[in-house]
Amino acid sequence: MAAGAASGGSATTDTYKEARTWLLLPAWVTLAILVLAPVIMMLIYSFLTKEFRGGVIWEFSLAAYDQFFFDRGLFGDEPPKIEWTYITIFWRSIWQAGAATLLSLVIGFPTAYFIATRSENMRPVWVFLITIPYWVNLLIRTVSMKFLLRDQGPLNDFLMSIGLIDSPLHIVNTNFAVQLGLFYSYLPFMVLPIYAAVERYNFALSEAAADLYASKWTTLRRVLLPAIKPGVFAGCILVFVPSMGSFLAPDLLGGAKNFMIGSLIEEQFKGNAGNWPFGAAASMILLTMVLIILMFSARQQAKADKAGAE
Amino acid sequence: MASKQFDIKTYTGFKGITLLCLVILYAPLVVVTIYSFNASQSLTNWEGVSLRWYADVFTGPESAKFKTAAKNSFVIAIIAATTATTIATLAATGMVRGGKFRFRTVSFGLISLPLMVPEIVLAVATLIFFNSIGFERGLLTILLAHIAFCIPFAYLPISARMQGIEDSYEQAALDLYATKRQAFTKILLPLMMPGIISGFLLAFIVSLDDFIITNFVKGAGVETLPTAIFGSVKQGIKPNIMAISTMLLSVSIIMVTISYFVSKSDNTK
């Protein structure tokens, strides 16, 4: 949703030019105090010393980052080895988010394409149907998913009653359940940008390819796909980024074995770990990764825009 | 079959996948809604239709907790959405009707910042911020955090709407000696209403639904509906949770539907 309505700028006028500063001031102040300042404060906290049972001592320290990357033994006096625990958790998060993105792409691409090729009156209705569930509370959606997938849940009941399986499938507390939960959380983010791209696509190109005896799948792969690549790319980013830092899906559907970054961070503030600088450092590492991905995608988008303009 | 081969827009199986997609999206919600009417004490057995779990939400052992949580949720959502919509409407006017200026890109970046920062990171940052300035956690910290992340959700439909309204109406008013303030309040604002209502409703839902940030910045013992539900679910899914979920998901769906039809309505003609 962020992708479609972004920037714009085509219809800008200067009717209220003199009042501009005053009009924008409340937004600047609110967001600077409540978003920008907190992120800066989080960066500072990640370099402070931890206070037991939460909070910090105002003393510079690299301990949080050191703990993240290096293992110095139980008493901290051994030569540093690479600490794999947290890197593994980050790696698992990337992997799970990647799998969820792939799943969203496999289901979302045909869906977006199908919607974009409906009649002009029907398209908004389909888009509306796809987006409604997104606006239902994420917690409720995740709980509903868990209820549906439980060993004694309605899905297993149904599959057993039609004789497809003999004993219940164990889906909850697996990696797959988390991927399914993430897919369910962010699917509209995949469908909407691809839909927007296909809707703008000029189908005369596909017809030309067909006239030159390209098969339908060749046309899809070599003509349509390159043309709508920016939309597909945007969809993947919009699913991948929130999936990586998600908390509810891994917490409720994954169980203890499928720990992801979100749970690691949460545990430092709400759980038993109580290490604020470490939680701040892990958040900073996640934020840095996300900003790198967003910058990279902005560059790709700019490149695609430039190629489109030529 | 030969004619279908030349219908280059249609791919076999795409319709099937779209329908599958809808089934996946709606099945969990439909199942929970159905089971919320289950008369049985257990989750697994179906024992006929009943409203007992709805009654349980309002009069059962957990009803006091849910009542307070619901009140907190709605009060916060109304104040946060109203404040965020006001800020967003002013900002959209500055951005869309303020001409070209140097900080335009920076301003847009700042407004969309809450969408780009992962929610859990924003939650941590906000908690740390309130802690560092010695602000005691409670309802007020939840409200402030909600105002911040509601702004982009209110801003996007409002600015999209404003970009679709030609400024000739305002110019005509100005030519007829209306002041800028009058042109804004008497012409632009009424034309903007569908976008503003749509933005307000989206901000309202986002605030009502938020779990992660609320969970971090709430004080001990202060609950909103999502945090209360999460607390209950941690001890296992119970039938009364399904009843309360069904009510909450109905509120969201009704509001989104209103927002959809309002934003589609065209009052510029």
Side-chain angles (χ1 to χ4, degrees), chain A residues 1-23:
Chain A
M1 129 216 57
S7 65
S10 51
T12 55
T13 63
D14 52 8
T15 317
Y16 303 104
K17 200 172 161 188
E18 303 81 27
R20 187 173 60 209
T21 309
W22 294 109
L23 289 168

Side-chain angles (χ1 to χ4, degrees), chain A:
Chain A
M1 129 216 57
S7 65
S10 51
T12 55
T13 63
D14 52 8
T15 317
Y16 303 104
K17 200 172 161 188
E18 303 81 27
R20 187 173 60 209
T21 309
W22 294 109
L23 289 168
L24 282 162
L25 200 63
W28 284 337
V29 170
T30 314
L31 293 165
I33 294 179
L34 292 172
V35 181
L36 208 56
V39 171
I40 293 167
M41 198 49 90
M42 182 177 76
L43 176 65
I44 296 173
Y45 265 45
S46 74
F47 289 106
L48 294 178
T49 309
K50 81 169 172 183
E51 167 102 79
F52 290 96
R53 296 184 318 251
V56 285
I57 301 165
W58 281 83
E59 222 168 85
F60 177 81
S61 160
L62 283 171
Y65 291 95
D66 190 80
Q67 183 188 345
F68 191 95
F69 291 109
F70 299 109
D71 172 12
R72 294 176 194 271
L74 195 56
F75 302 103
D77 51 1
E78 291 167 31
K81 290 183 300 223
I82 299 278
E83 167 69 89
W84 288 106
T85 317
Y86 308 115
I87 298 174
T88 310
I89 291 174
F90 266 66
W91 175 242
R92 184 185 302 126
S93 305
I94 293 171
W95 202 85
Q96 291 283 65
T101 307
L102 192 67
L103 193 63
S104 306
L105 184 63
V106 168
I107 305 253
F109 177 80
T111 306
Y113 182 91
F114 179 80
I115 296 175
T117 51
R118 294 306 92 197
S119 75
E120 222 161 293
N121 296 331
M122 284 308 288
R123 277 178 228 161
V125 178
W126 279 101
V127 169
F128 184 53
L129 279 177
I130 294 285
T131 42
I132 284 182
Y134 172 74
W135 295 109
V136 171
N137 195 320
L138 181 59
L139 171 64
I140 290 181
R141 277 187 292 154
T142 312
V143 171
S144 307
M145 197 67 162
K146 183 172 185 172
F147 176 72
L148 180 70
L149 299 177
R150 282 179 327 136
D151 286 3
Q152 291 93 33
L155 180 71
N156 274 315
D157 279 358
F158 173 72
L159 290 177
M160 289 205 295
S161 72
I162 61 168
L164 212 61
I165 51 172
D166 295 326
S167 55
L169 300 168
H170 301 293
I171 306 175
V172 173
N173 290 347
T174 63
N175 278 332
F176 180 65
V178 178
Q179 290 157 17
L180 216 54
L182 293 174
F183 158 82
Y184 189 42
S185 305
Y186 305 115
L187 180 71
F189 291 163
M190 180 64 83
V191 175
L192 294 180
I194 299 180
Y195 159 78
V198 177
E199 204 190 20
R200 278 194 309 259
Y201 173 70
N202 180 3
F203 273 97
L205 293 171
S206 293
E207 276 161 38
D211 288 345
L212 295 166
Y213 300 104
S215 79
K216 274 173 78 165
W217 290 103
T218 311
T219 312
L220 179 85
R221 221 180 47 210
R222 313 258 319 247
V223 183
L224 174 76
L225 221 47
I228 61 164
K229 210 169 79 186
V232 176
F233 195 75
C236 292
I237 296 284
L238 287 174
V239 173
F240 186 82
V241 166
S243 294
M244 212 165 55
S246 69
F247 168 71
L248 284 173
D251 190 70
L252 291 171
L253 292 164
K257 264 199 329 216
N258 306 293
F259 220 61
M260 280 171 60
I261 311 173
S263 313
L264 175 69
I265 293 174
E266 203 251 9
E267 203 182 43
Q268 310 305 321
F269 295 93
K270 307 292 292 183
N272 300 324
N275 186 342
W276 282 33
F278 182 71
S283 303
M284 275 317 297
I285 294 168
L286 172 62
L287 182 62
T288 310
M289 277 162 58
V290 166
L291 290 181
I292 290 173
I293 294 171
L294 289 180
M295 253 145 57
F296 172 71
S297 85
R299 250 184 50 194
Q300 289 288 322
Q301 212 74 28
K303 230 191 254 171
D305 286 350
K306 216 172 137 198
E310 275 159 13

